[in-house]
Amino acid sequence: MNDPNGLVFFQEEFHLFYQYNPEGIKWGHMSWGHAVSRDLVHWEQLALALPEANEVMVFPGSAVVDWQDTSGFGRGKEPPLVAIYTGHYTRRPRQNQNLAYSNDRERTWTKFSGNPVLDIGEADFRDPKVFWHEPTRRWVMAVSWPAHRNVRFYGSPNLRDWSHLSDFGPPGATEGIWECPDIFPVPMEGGAGALKWILIVNVNAGASAGGSDCQYFVGQFDGRRFAPDRSAARPGRPLWADWARDFYAAVFWNDVPASDGRRLWIGWMSNWDYAPDVPTSPWRNAMSLPQSLAVRETPDGWRLLQRPVRELESLRGQPVSIALKGLGSQAELARLDGVVAGPCELSLDAEPGSDSVFDLTLQTGAVEATTLRVDMPNRELTLDRTQSGNVGFHPKFAGTAAAPLRLIGGHLKLNLFVDTSSIEIFANNDEAVLSSLLLPSAGSRRLSLRGLCGSVKSTQLEGWKLASIWGPRNDGP
Ligand code: FRU
């Protein structure tokens, strides 16, 4: 599987469609797989939603609840659900935008007989994200024009007829092609103040840590045109939603109820540099943790805040807390051995000096280790997976990734989720994320903290074992 598609909330269910090959574990025969969840944590797999047919693959797109039945696909009282997806032709160079609808809570789908609804005669024109823009009372589509490094905007009264509104591009990262755009207003941290519009552009090649990744722009959208804030879009300094290698094609959920009020998204946890070769079986590739979003004004400009959704706390076992002087000793850290041995969540709050450099390392066995280096003089966090386990399956897998490091009120705060074959690190109070696949040998993990330079005043660590999302609840450390 790859990109998340058609993210929409309807009648108490979060829908997660995704690019899926029903015939094998390499990319091909692209269709929409389908899963639903009531809490964003536990998922139920449903039947294939939109299969490839007649030499047209079902590429990414979005889904909306058409509350006023503008499309005319409704039956009875329920609003129809409408998916807008890219048709990718396998026998000729063409991509265009198509509709499918469902009248039974997205359990079964009908492809619209009038497809395609938008075709500009291009070989690469894909990944439509559609949402209702209330101030202009119409549907808006953001769709990528990959080779031009452009996001095109279209408007429609009924999802069937589309007219061109504007184009955005190409500032930011332009080495790779632009794919999977999304645009959404996001609240300021704490809920006060005006909303900021975040334009998401996924870039395939040339990302901060190499390969594909997700960049964003902060600005305003008037229903026709996206205007980036000057302070947020510095030439040559793209803003990355993730600074490590495994977060791509992230998109927002449509129709999350106002009573919930969150902006929620999820990304694909892999990288096109090596995704077809990740040595897992019988499955290949997975989603990130779902994240809740806000914006914060920092001394460097506006930043997107990404926080793992609070529903994940339901997986926590009993907390184990340790307060350390400096970085403490290995004997003190051993209290976390039971927690870090399997899937776990860790939170670290440290007060480093301006000259401190230290390593937080997850060791598996004698030689394998994944290390996060906190480097205050260079204001950098680096994640090194060169020794993390199986790194030899692809020459581009091993390596390090670097994210900016910022103390807030003198504190460095990190929140880490370690699963069997991944780590997701939320740093700087959610201003920077590092998501990375890891393929360690089976074996018990241990945590170490090692100072390399300068001193750290104090460190607080808290850890929780995490229960499996497929099993019963965790009830002990
Ligand atoms: C993004 C992508 C897009 C394409 C889709 C096909 O991850 O490569 O180029 O739309 O996946 O599955």
Side-chain angles (χ1 to χ4, degrees):
M1 49 149 299
N2 48 290
D3 318 0
N5 300 150
L7 303 183
V8 67
F9 181 88
F10 184 58
Q11 293 185 350
E12 307 308 316
E13 290 178 320
F14 290 95
H15 290 267
L16 167 59
F17 300 88
Y18 50 90
Q19 287 290 282
Y20 177 57
N21 180 357
E23 294 182 31
I25 61 165
K26 284 227 174 186
W27 188 93
H29 303 286
M30 296 323 285
S31 303
W32 280 23
H34 189 191
V36 285
S37 173
R38 289 178 174 267
D39 63 358
L40 292 163
V41 175
H42 300 90
W43 294 90
E44 182 191 349
Q45 188 67 44
L46 299 181
L48 190 66
L50 290 169
E52 170 194 45
N54 306 325
E55 296 169 354
V56 183
M57 292 199 212
V58 185
F59 262 30
S62 41
V64 297
V65 183
D66 184 6
W67 289 105
Q68 294 151 39
D69 195 16
T70 61
S71 61
F73 293 135
R75 304 270 176 281
K77 283 201 204 120
E78 293 287 324
L81 288 133
V82 183
I84 306 94
Y85 66 90
T86 296
H88 172 88
Y89 291 69
T90 52
R91 293 285 175 110
R92 60 193 175 104
R94 180 62 61 90
Q95 292 182 340
N96 53 31
Q97 316 319 326
N98 299 267
L99 304 181
Y101 56 91
S102 168
N103 301 108
D104 60 358
R105 294 170 58 237
E106 313 215 14
R107 267 40 183 193
T108 59
W109 289 88
T110 308
K111 288 181 185 161
F112 176 40
S113 56
N115 283 335
V117 293
L118 179 60
D119 188 339
I120 60 169
E122 290 270 328
D124 289 292
F125 177 52
R126 59 177 175 265
D127 312 335
K129 175 60 189 251
V130 174
F131 63 98
W132 178 254
H133 187 256
E134 182 58 28
T136 53
R137 300 203 51 78
R138 67 179 167 206
W139 298 103
V140 171
M141 177 196 293
V143 53
S144 69
W145 205 7
H148 298 258
R149 278 66 173 164
N150 250 290
V151 176
R152 310 204 87 191
F153 292 101
Y154 291 82
S156 170
N158 57 8
L159 296 165
R160 298 179 184 216
D161 305 300
W162 293 94
S163 49
H164 183 228
L165 300 174
S166 67
D167 289 337
F168 174 79
T174 54
E175 192 183 322
I177 54 165
W178 283 20
E179 302 183 319
C180 303
D182 200 351
I183 181 165
F184 227 98
V186 171
M188 279 171 54
E189 185 180 23
L195 299 169
K196 283 277 175 190
W197 285 78
I198 301 290
L199 174 67
I200 299 298
V201 178
N202 287 276
V203 187
N204 194 350
S208 141
S212 51
D213 207 338
C214 178
Q215 71 170 322
Y216 66 92
F217 300 90
V218 185
Q220 290 305 330
F221 181 68
D222 62 5
R224 173 168 287 275
R225 198 173 291 284
F226 175 77
D229 273 19
R230 283 223 184 86
S231 71
R234 284 207 232 143
R237 302 258 322 258
L239 296 173
W240 298 103
D242 204 286
W243 296 87
R245 305 213 54 194
D246 298 303
F247 188 79
Y248 195 60
V251 279
F252 300 104
W253 257 281
N254 272 336
D255 257 282
V256 175
S259 56
D260 179 311
R262 288 177 298 173
R263 291 285 172 248
L264 300 167
W265 77 350
I266 200 165
W268 174 52
M269 209 174 172
S270 197
N271 189 308
W272 281 119
D273 268 357
Y274 45 73
D277 301 307
V278 179
T280 53
S281 172
W283 58 283
R284 184 172 284 129
N285 296 319
M287 293 297 167
S288 72
L289 293 175
Q291 301 171 4
S292 159
L293 305 167
V295 284
R296 175 186 294 155
E297 192 164 18
T298 76
D300 299 322
W302 290 97
R303 290 292 179 273
L304 185 62
L305 304 182
Q306 297 155 251
R307 189 164 297 167
V309 294
R310 58 172 181 262
E311 287 87 340
L312 290 161
E313 291 173 14
S314 69
L315 300 173
R316 287 176 176 175
Q318 294 299 319
V320 176
S321 305
I322 320 182
L324 302 170
K325 217 166 155 244
L327 296 172
S329 66
Q330 197 55 45
E332 289 169 293
L333 279 178
R335 285 188 50 215
L336 281 168
D337 280 357
V339 168
V340 299
C344 62
E345 179 185 345
L346 294 169
S347 110
L348 174 141
D349 181 338
E351 284 182 278
S354 58
D355 55 350
S356 318
V357 181
F358 67 91
D359 285 351
L360 181 145
T361 302
L362 278 166
Q363 290 167 296
T364 318
V367 284
E368 292 177 7
T370 302
T371 299
L372 181 70
R373 175 159 298 175
V374 175
D375 182 340
M376 285 291 294
N378 290 309
R379 298 268 155 177
E380 212 168 57
L381 286 165
T382 42
L383 180 66
D384 180 347
R385 69 173 175 195
T386 53
Q387 310 293 322
S388 60
N390 182 350
V391 296
F393 67 92
H394 194 285
K396 289 190 172 164
F397 185 78
T400 57
L405 162 63
R406 195 168 83 88
L407 299 191
I408 297 180
H411 287 251
L412 168 70
K413 286 198 182 160
L414 303 174
N415 197 11
L416 300 90
F417 287 77
V418 187
D419 206 341
T420 307
S421 53
S422 63
I423 187 165
E424 286 158 276
I425 302 167
F426 298 83
N428 310 343
N429 302 35
D430 305 319
E431 280 173 26
V433 186
L434 295 125
S435 302
S436 190
L437 297 179
L438 305 172
L439 297 154
S441 318
S444 174
R445 271 188 251 240
R446 296 188 67 203
L447 186 69
S448 75
L449 276 174
R450 198 163 65 99
L452 303 176
C453 171
S455 64
V456 175
K457 250 205 245 160
S458 69
T459 311
Q460 307 260 358
L461 271 164
E462 189 153 29
W464 300 263
K465 267 171 87 167
L466 292 180
S468 166
I469 66 168
W470 309 111
R473 285 190 167 212
N474 200 342
D475 51 5

